[in-house]
Amino acid sequence: QVQLVESGGGLVQAGGSLRLSCAASGLERSFSRYAVAWFRQTPGSEREFIVAFTRSGAITGYADPVQGRVTIARDNAKNTIYLQMNGRKPEDATVYSCAASGTAILSGLRTLGAYANWGDGNQVTVSS
């Protein structure tokens, strides 16, 4: 079974930076054949799309609230993607999750339904 595990979260001061990782295991095909995305979710709210890698490795779909503050990277040899967010704001304090899809097309990468595999999430807290 495909498993995704996020790590790297924790407490950061407002204006600071954190780097999150998402490691995949149990894949039925090469990691390079998956689209992979980052979402975030405040308790009681729906998941919010942040950004995604297409199956070809291109980056697409930066969400407006994080435009200019996020850098992502993909290491297929390690089955891992990364999310570096700078200039953390109080509204960035939430749970960040990664998701993977072996079938999603470019036009559907922003949607929750495109992803069959999800991590359990990683908490980020931003101090004022």
Side-chain angles (χ1 to χ4, degrees), residues 8 11 19 23 28 30 33 35 37 40 46-48 53 60-61 63 68 70 75 83 88 97 104 108 120 124:
L11 177 64
R19 188 194 195 204
E28 63 269 29
S30 173
R33 306 312 304 164
R40 65 184 184 182
E46 296 294 321
R47 281 189 175 91
E48 176 188 20
F53 286 101
T60 188
V70 168
D75 188 339
L83 174 68
R88 290 279 180 169
S97 300
D120 289 334
V124 172

Side-chain angles (χ1 to χ4, degrees), residues 20-45:
L20 303 179
S21 300
C22 172
S25 62
L27 301 172
E28 63 269 29
R29 59 181 65 87
S30 173
F31 186 63
S32 65
R33 306 312 304 164
Y34 289 83
V36 193
W38 285 101
F39 291 78
R40 65 184 184 182
Q41 183 178 22
T42 300
S45 301

Side-chain angles (χ1 to χ4, degrees), residues 8-14 16-18 20 88 93 122-128:
L11 177 64
V12 62
Q13 292 184 342
S17 300
L18 277 180
L20 303 179
R88 290 279 180 169
N122 197 239
Q123 178 72 55
V124 172
T125 302
V126 181
S127 62
S128 301

Side-chain angles (χ1 to χ4, degrees), residues 50 61-70 110:
I50 300 176
Y62 283 105
D64 289 341
V66 301
Q67 284 280 354
R69 300 192 293 122
V70 168
R110 288 178 173 267

